Amino acid sequence: MISFGTMIAFAAVALGMVCAPGPNMIYLISRSVTQGKLAGMISLFGVMLAFVVYIVATMMGLSALFLTVPILYSMIKWAGAVYLLWLAWKAIRPGSGSDRNILEPQSLAIESPKKLFIMGFMTNLLNPKAAVLYVSLLPQFIDPARGSVLMQSATLGLLQISISFIVNLLIILVASQVVSWFGKRPIWMSIQRWVMASVLTALAARMAFDRK
């Protein structure tokens, strides 16, 4: 079973990742501002379903890989470390265009509830960063010596979904205020990028030197 300390550490990482502006956050804010909070919530349920798909795929994939070919754990670990370092550099590199307000909502057409759900689902499902991050982050929080890899993956996945749902729901409820607040305080966007880059670098170092 996963230790309480490991769950707290993973929860902190999951919180940091969901708070980093990305396709899901931008879409949900734009939809909420354009069509209202209910539309944002319907879209959010679609986003959450895509997370469930990723978690199930990750659970089965990690279990099979670790049980049949243990050396692949090391390969995934190093690939994940390199990817996290790349994300850290991408967040702060000069000329990346990250100085602009990426939370500025886009004008979206009015859509039906069914289409809102599907669009939320596809926005997350087709986001390659979400898929790669599951493979990069989950392995370093899983210890085969503490029991079923499958159950550990499921526990961490459900924890990530819960955190993502709560944070995104709050964002939907205050979408207009969020956009206005960050628009008036661009310095916070810069701080957020540097904090996230530091977290990703620390995770990459931990993953690279983990002997687990």
Side-chain angles (χ1 to χ4, degrees):
M1 192 62 183
I2 299 177
S3 67
F4 181 73
T6 297
M7 292 185 66
I8 293 297
F10 181 79
V13 174
L15 179 62
M17 297 307 297
V18 73
C19 289
N24 291 338
M25 182 184 292
I26 296 171
Y27 174 73
L28 291 174
I29 288 178
S30 296
R31 182 57 67 186
S32 300
V33 172
T34 302
Q35 198 169 338
K37 293 180 176 62
L38 179 59
M41 294 179 66
I42 294 173
S43 300
L44 176 58
F45 284 116
V47 170
M48 292 300 105
L49 179 59
F51 274 131
V52 172
V53 172
Y54 278 130
I55 288 173
V56 172
T58 302
M59 286 167 53
M60 303 309 296
L62 285 176
S63 298
L65 286 173
F66 292 172
L67 290 175
T68 59
V69 189
I71 195 174
L72 287 180
Y73 175 85
S74 296
M75 296 174 63
I76 291 176
K77 179 180 71 172
W78 283 102
V82 171
Y83 181 73
L84 292 176
L85 286 175
W86 178 77
L87 287 180
W89 168 244
K90 184 179 179 182
I92 60 174
R93 71 171 185 243
S96 63
S98 54
D99 290 333
R100 63 186 177 87
N101 185 7
I102 62 175
L103 291 180
E104 183 177 351
Q106 304 298 312
S107 178
L108 301 175
I110 303 300
E111 303 290 357
S112 66
K114 179 180 178 179
K115 192 166 184 179
L116 288 172
F117 182 87
I118 294 175
M119 290 174 68
F121 175 75
M122 297 305 295
T123 296
N124 196 19
L125 189 67
L126 298 179
N127 178 12
K129 187 168 98 170
V132 177
L133 283 177
Y134 267 103
V135 178
S136 299
L137 292 174
L138 274 177
Q140 63 180 303
F141 291 94
I142 295 175
D143 185 357
R146 298 190 68 89
S148 170
V149 171
L150 188 67
M151 291 304 299
Q152 291 184 62
S153 300
T155 301
L156 294 177
L158 289 175
L159 179 60
Q160 186 276 330
I161 281 184
S162 299
I163 292 173
S164 180
F165 179 81
I166 292 172
V167 172
N168 281 307
L169 179 60
L170 291 174
I171 288 174
I172 288 171
L173 295 177
V174 297
S176 298
Q177 293 90 327
V178 168
V179 171
S180 176
W181 196 89
F182 277 105
K184 296 176 181 178
R185 300 169 177 83
I187 185 62
W188 285 104
M189 295 300 297
S190 178
I191 293 174
Q192 181 274 328
R193 291 197 305 272
W194 280 96
V195 169
M196 182 52 56
S198 299
V199 170
L200 292 172
T201 300
L203 286 172
R206 173 180 170 177
M207 181 183 293
F209 295 104
D210 182 20
R211 296 177 179 271
K212 187 163 56 179

